Amino acid sequence: MPNYGTRYVKFTEAAVRRHLHRHHPGCPEFAVDYVVAQIVGREWQGVSLGGATGIILQTLLRHLMTDYDQLLLAGVDRKAARKRVQPKIDAMLSHWSRSPTSD
C-alpha cells in the first residue's frame, strides 16, 4: 500500500476510469468524464484514488444534483444543509454502484 503521508500524488486517466467502472458501473458517462477530469487535473495529498473519487463524487452530486446551494442561499446552516441532502447523494451513489443491468 502506498504511503500517502505528505507526498503529492497524481492519478492517471486510465486508473481513474478503471476505478469508476469497477466501483461505480452505473455512473453515467458524462459524470465519469467529469470526475476523471477533476481527479487527474490536480495533485492529491494524503488520499487514495478511492478517497479522491469519493470527494469528487460527493461534491458533484451535492452541488449539481441536489438543492444544497439553494438551501445555503436561503440561510440554512451548512452542516444542516449537508445533512438534509445526504440521503439523496447516498441514494445516487448506491444506484451508481450497481451495474446498469441489475435494476
Side-chain angles (χ1 to χ4, degrees):
M1 177 169 217
N3 176 7
Y4 295 109
T6 58
R7 133 181 170 226
Y8 287 90
V9 177
K10 282 196 76 104
F11 300 106
T12 66
E13 180 176 341
V16 177
R17 283 188 185 281
R18 222 177 9 258
H19 179 86
L20 284 165
H21 287 133
R22 183 180 310 127
H23 296 284
H24 302 282
C27 185
E29 205 56 37
F30 79 88
V32 169
D33 292 341
Y34 177 85
V35 171
V36 167
Q38 292 297 307
I39 292 175
V40 302
R42 65 180 76 171
E43 292 181 335
W44 295 85
Q45 182 181 14
V47 70
S48 66
L49 177 54
T53 302
I55 290 166
I56 297 299
L57 284 173
Q58 285 281 332
T59 302
L60 166 71
L61 294 173
R62 181 182 309 116
H63 291 282
L64 299 180
M65 309 284 272
T66 71
D67 60 351
Y68 176 75
D69 291 320
Q70 291 78 14
L71 291 169
L72 295 178
L73 289 171
V76 176
D77 174 72
R78 181 175 160 244
K79 187 175 180 179
R82 281 182 174 222
K83 185 175 180 181
R84 200 154 144 190
V85 300
Q86 194 61 47
K88 185 174 184 177
I89 294 168
D90 292 343
M92 286 185 273
L93 288 173
S94 175
H95 182 75
W96 286 4
S97 70
R98 296 189 304 263
S99 173
T101 59
S102 68
D103 288 338

